[in-house]
């Protein structure tokens, strides 16, 4: 094992940078004070952070797993705006005893997640820290289309999700319990697999409001309801539960539906469409928009739990 403290910052960058993906949007990439990126249409920007011990554990996830997850959750945010991701900036804070191989593995995970989508890393920063912290800023472009926000849902519209839910939360529950079950759920927690491009398709089919499900279907539906000043009624029998979540739930003796309703980290999309006929193939309608109440309800009732909260979990 060779630590990053033994080789120093410049040597680490020399090893790390060549493993990162490139993008055609790059005019000037890593190595200067700032990057220069070409944009077609409006620039769309989002940021996210992963903190060791809170969002991942090294005993559970490899460096490549953390890199994959850091990239994918940010690509999903751009997709949720109906835009196309092009590039990332990554800030990596590391203890000096971090193994060099972990950092190179992290870079490989970023590349594996990004290359199929033509997304590259155009810059970032390195810093010392007491624990690993990953901060990613993702850039996207609209190609002249209108972005889809959370704020334009109207009564009578249809609420839909882009994929089965619950696998990520189920995988985390299995890891926390230490029971060695449901390997697919565990794998999908470590490396979520959103369908990048589903958001653009939804936008082209008239999605009025949309967001990435990162904190749970109910909590995120409530955010659309609040931004749009409407109510959202969810039909629990219509919510698609990922098969891996069902396997994990059986092993844990809990409800798979609860994973789908309140579990985050799948990074599927939640969108509101003008009608059932405008919902794209592969999506599942799970509810409706109403003006009869504010916020979100499930089967007509106010839910007891909504999902992940960063400051109370």
């Amino acid at each position: 094992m060779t630590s990053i403290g033994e080789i120093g910052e410049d040597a680490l960058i020399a090893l790390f940078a060549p493993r990162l993906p490139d993008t055609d949007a790059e005019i000037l990439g890593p190595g200067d004070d700032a990057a220069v990126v070409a944009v077609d249409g409006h620039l769309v920007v989002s940021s996210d952070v992963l903190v060791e011990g809170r969002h991942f554990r090294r005993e559970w996830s490899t460096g490549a797993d953390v890199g994959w997850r850091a990239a994918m959750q940010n690509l999903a945010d751009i997709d949720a705006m109906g835009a196309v991701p092009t590039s990332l900036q990554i800030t990596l804070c590391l203890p000096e005893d971090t193994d060099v191989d972990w950092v190179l593995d992290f870079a490989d995970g970023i590349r594996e997640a990004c290359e199929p989508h033509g997304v590259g890393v155009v810059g970032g920063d390195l810093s010392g820290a007491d624990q690993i912290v990953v901060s990613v800023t993702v850039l996207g472009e609209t190609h002249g289309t209108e972005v889809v926000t959370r704020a334009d849902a109207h009564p009578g519209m249809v609420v839909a999700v882009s994929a089965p839910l619950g696998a990520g939360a189920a995988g985390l529950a299995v890891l926390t319990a230490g029971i060695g079950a449901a390997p697919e759920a565990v794998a999908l927690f470590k490396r979520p697999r959103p369908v990048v491009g589903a958001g653009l398709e939804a936008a082209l089919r008239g999605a009025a409001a949309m967001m990435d499900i990162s904190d749970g279907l109910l909590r995120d539906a409530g955010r659309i309801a609040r931004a749009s000043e409407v109510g959202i009624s969810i039909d629990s029998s219509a919510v698609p539960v990922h098969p891996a979540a069902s396997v994990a739930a059986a092993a844990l003796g809990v409800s798979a539906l609860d994973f789908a309703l309140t579990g985050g980290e799948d990074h599927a999309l939640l969108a509101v469409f003008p009608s059932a006929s405008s919902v794209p193939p592969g999506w599942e309608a799970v509810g409706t928009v109403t003006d009869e109440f504010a916020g979100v309800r499930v089967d007509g009732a106010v839910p007891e739990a909504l999902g992940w909260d960063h400051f109370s979990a």
Side-chain angles (χ1 to χ4, degrees), residues 95-219:
E96 66 178 21
D97 63 355
T98 303
D99 190 342
V100 170
D101 286 341
W102 189 95
V103 183
L104 301 184
D105 204 30
F106 172 84
D108 289 343
I110 292 280
R111 187 185 66 254
E112 290 166 11
C114 289
E115 277 189 337
H117 308 291
V119 175
V121 175
V122 296
D125 195 16
L126 291 172
S127 177
D130 294 330
Q131 62 193 35
I132 297 177
V133 178
V134 183
S135 177
V136 178
T137 296
V138 58
L139 309 178
E141 58 191 8
T142 61
H143 294 286
T145 62
E146 291 296 321
V147 296
V148 182
T149 71
R150 303 177 183 182
D152 290 317
H154 297 287
M157 289 186 171
V158 175
V159 180
V161 296
S162 65
L165 306 176
L172 175 59
V174 167
L175 286 168
T176 302
I179 63 172
E184 184 181 4
V186 170
L188 288 170
F189 167 72
K190 294 178 181 179
R191 295 195 180 201
R193 296 184 178 273
V195 180
V196 179
L200 177 59
E201 180 185 15
L204 295 175
R205 292 178 68 98
M210 184 160 54
M211 67 179 297
D212 160 40
I213 303 175
S214 57
D215 296 330
L217 171 61
L218 300 187
R219 185 171 295 281

